Amino acid sequence: MSERTGIITFKGNPMTLLGPALKVGDKAPDFTVVDNSLAPVTLAGSAGKIRIISTVPSLDTPVCDTETRRFNQEAAALPENVVVLTVSLDLPFAQKRWCGAAGIDRVTTLSDYRERSLGTAYGVVIKELVLMSRAVFVIDANDVIRYIQIVPEVTSEPDYAAVIVAVKNLL
């Protein structure tokens, strides 16, 4: 598996990302993750929709919590053909508990704990921490990656406005 350095830091310390460096225009890799009831979820399961895939280290941290709540708010203003998937390595039980407490209803939280299938296919697993880095991918209805944001410092929030502009350009 390829290793990439010089892309992200965690609290200022350089980290290594595992997996490929995807590019805008690439076909989005398929993946198998699980939802809060342990049912498998794949990219094909949302075919024909615009997908915002947000990867986060853990929903149980302040920045991930803020980010997921913000995407939940942003999604409320987007049409039904836009889905927001937040993926972490948190166990599905923890994700379900967190979503209930946070009132999340427009973001689907998914866990990649079994195979790290999305994490390694999208190049966002942090080798040193065995967590996902903070990144956002916008995938169009034809499974083509139209926008990528790898957040340089894992403890920082993404540029939400840029993500929403990328989505609106596809509507």
Side-chain angles (χ1 to χ4, degrees), residues 1 5 10-11 14 22-24 28 35 69 73 77 81-82 88 92 97 115 126 135 147 153 155 161 166:
M1 177 172 312
T5 57
F10 177 70
K11 297 183 179 177
L22 298 177
K23 298 179 298 305
V24 170
D35 68 13
R69 288 173 190 265
Q73 290 171 343
N81 69 326
V82 178
S88 72
R97 182 182 64 246
E115 302 171 32
I126 302 170
Y147 176 84
E153 169 54 50
T155 61

Side-chain angles (χ1 to χ4, degrees), residues 1-105:
M1 177 172 312
S2 64
E3 295 188 1
R4 300 174 297 127
T5 57
I7 300 164
I8 66 160
T9 58
F10 177 70
K11 297 183 179 177
N13 299 306
M15 296 283 129
T16 307
L17 291 176
L18 300 177
L22 298 177
K23 298 179 298 305
V24 170
D26 286 351
K27 179 140 181 73
D30 201 5
F31 53 81
T32 301
V33 294
V34 296
D35 68 13
N36 293 172
S37 67
L38 299 176
V41 175
T42 63
L43 181 67
S46 57
K49 295 184 182 274
I50 297 167
R51 277 73 45 104
I52 298 171
I53 298 178
S54 167
T55 61
V56 299
S58 175
L59 292 173
D60 272 333
T61 62
V63 177
C64 299
D65 177 283
T66 299
E67 176 179 340
T68 305
R69 288 173 190 265
R70 174 72 181 268
F71 275 128
N72 192 62
Q73 290 171 343
E74 297 285 355
L78 296 171
E80 291 295 319
N81 69 326
V82 178
V83 295
V84 183
L85 310 174
T86 294
V87 185
S88 72
L89 295 177
D90 292 315
L91 292 175
F93 318 109
Q95 289 183 341
K96 184 175 183 177
R97 182 182 64 246
W98 181 88
C99 286
I104 299 300
D105 57 357

